Amino acid sequence: IAADLALEAAILGTLQHKNIITIHGSNSRADPKSIQGHFIVLDLLEETLEQQFDKLRKSNHIFSKLTSGQSILERLLSSTNGICEALNYLHQKGIVHRDLKPGNIGFDNKGIVKLFDFGLARHEKDSNLTIAGSLRYMSPETIMAKGCDQRSDVYSFGLLLYETVTLSKPYN
């Protein structure tokens, strides 16, 4: 687990994009054989996309206003553009997120969408045959251990877009 946290910090340290969470620091001096003492410091996020979906499923009031004055529907629609921009940036850098899902997308205190949880992210050359991600949002080729690349993130984004539009979880 410590190695995964160090890898996540290393990947995040190379990224700078308005729609990707920012790393502010990490502890790399802890014992690598122990999880104790390892940490990374990231932006504070107010809410996840998954939490917003859950609220919408309960209330069905997609036009209700947030504290920013923006409707929940407006935020969801604008967030998809931010997610696309973040994925495009990652893919240009040769990084595959491998766990794109509503629980790994958040909003800061200004309502800006942020992609986070890079614990499973890998450089594309290092992500070939490992199965990684959340089953519901995982691409078929990943499930069948036939590789994972940028197309796998695009597949997960398609399922995320489906959920944004229908408020139904894929494969429910």
Side-chain angles (χ1 to χ4, degrees):
I1 293 179
D4 292 337
L5 198 59
L7 183 58
E8 181 174 5
I11 287 174
L12 281 170
T14 67
L15 305 176
Q16 187 174 359
H17 190 275
K18 66 180 179 179
N19 299 115
I20 295 176
I21 198 157
T22 302
I23 184 169
H24 298 283
S26 65
N27 179 11
S28 59
R29 297 180 203 199
D31 178 5
K33 296 177 185 170
S34 167
I35 188 161
Q36 289 186 311
H38 288 275
F39 64 86
I40 56 178
V41 180
L42 304 169
D43 291 333
L44 176 65
L45 299 177
E46 299 284 316
E47 185 174 46
T48 67
L49 187 58
E50 183 173 42
Q51 290 169 321
Q52 285 193 349
F53 284 159
D54 289 342
K55 283 182 190 175
L56 284 171
R57 286 183 190 109
K58 290 176 187 170
S59 71
N60 245 354
H61 296 293
I62 58 174
F63 296 104
S64 57
K65 298 288 181 185
L66 298 164
T67 54
S68 65
Q70 186 182 40
S71 78
I72 294 173
L73 177 62
E74 289 169 328
R75 176 179 278 182
L76 290 176
L77 294 176
S78 69
S79 70
T80 58
N81 186 50
I83 297 163
C84 283
E85 289 181 18
L87 282 177
N88 183 47
Y89 175 80
L90 284 178
H91 293 170
Q92 286 178 357
K93 292 206 164 264
I95 296 171
V96 183
H97 188 274
R98 302 192 326 161
D99 198 18
L100 187 64
K101 62 182 181 180
N104 289 341
I105 297 165
F107 298 91
D108 67 11
N109 62 355
K110 295 177 184 167
I112 297 171
V113 66
K114 302 277 185 176
L115 183 57
F116 70 96
D117 193 351
F118 283 74
L120 297 176
R122 297 291 183 272
H123 289 279
E124 191 166 24
K125 63 182 176 13
D126 299 329
S127 68
N128 294 23
L129 299 174
T130 54
I131 297 175
S134 299
L135 189 59
R136 183 183 302 271
Y137 298 92
M138 202 181 291
S139 67
E141 66 274 10
T142 303
I143 293 169
M144 296 183 298
K146 291 186 175 182
C148 181
D149 59 24
Q150 296 173 356
R151 295 172 294 181
S152 305
D153 281 348
V154 173
Y155 179 87
S156 299
F157 176 75
L159 293 176
L160 185 75
L161 191 57
Y162 168 84
E163 191 169 354
T164 301
V165 173
T166 66
L167 291 180
S168 297
K169 291 186 180 192
Y171 307 113
N172 225 2

